[in-house]
């Protein structure tokens, strides 16, 4: 078991958290104007990289707040967490991640 750093509560056991999907997904400005294909891609299509991946997590058994995390999908190791709107650490990425 590993510890996940909640930006508000600090390190807690991973059983207190729930995965919330890929970060960096923005709601379309005019969803009614999207084609069925574009809407399906917004709703269902997600990246599936091997390596660092920006995700949303909830500290569901703690403060119940959402936050962003950079997690290595190959090792499952968390590389950093941040409150929404704050930058994630620039770990093995070329640019700063802001989600
Ligand atoms: Zn928390």
């Amino acid at each position: 078991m590993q510890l996940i750093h909640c930006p508000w509560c600090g390190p807690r056991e991973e059983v207190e958290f729930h995965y919330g999907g890929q970060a960096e997904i923005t709601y379309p400005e005019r969803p009614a104007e999207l084609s069925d294909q574009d809407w399906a891609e917004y709703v269902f299509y997600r990246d599936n990289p091997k390596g660092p991946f920006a995700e949303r997590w909830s500290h569901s058994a703690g403060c119940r707040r959402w936050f962003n995390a950079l997690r290595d999908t190959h090792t499952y190791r968390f590389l950093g967490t941040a409150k929404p709107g704050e930058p994630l650490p620039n770990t093995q990425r070329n640019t700063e991640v802001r989600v």
Side-chain angles (χ1 to χ4, degrees), residues 6 8-9 59 62-64:
C6 172
W8 288 276
C9 306
H59 190 187
C63 65
R64 303 180 56 115

Side-chain angles (χ1 to χ4, degrees), residues 33-91:
E33 296 177 11
L34 294 180
S35 68
D36 289 345
Q37 179 64 35
D38 290 341
W39 182 251
E41 288 184 15
Y42 164 72
V43 173
F44 299 112
Y45 288 36
R46 296 295 180 259
D47 295 335
N48 188 21
K50 182 178 182 181
F53 188 46
E55 302 173 328
R56 301 212 42 172
W57 282 80
S58 168
H59 190 187
S60 53
C63 65
R64 303 180 56 115
R65 291 180 171 170
W66 286 92
F67 60 94
N68 297 309
L70 188 64
R71 183 177 65 88
D72 189 316
T73 59
H74 181 62
T75 64
Y76 201 80
R77 230 181 107 236
F78 281 77
L79 306 173
T81 59
K83 295 176 182 176
E86 293 183 352
L88 284 167
N90 185 13
T91 306

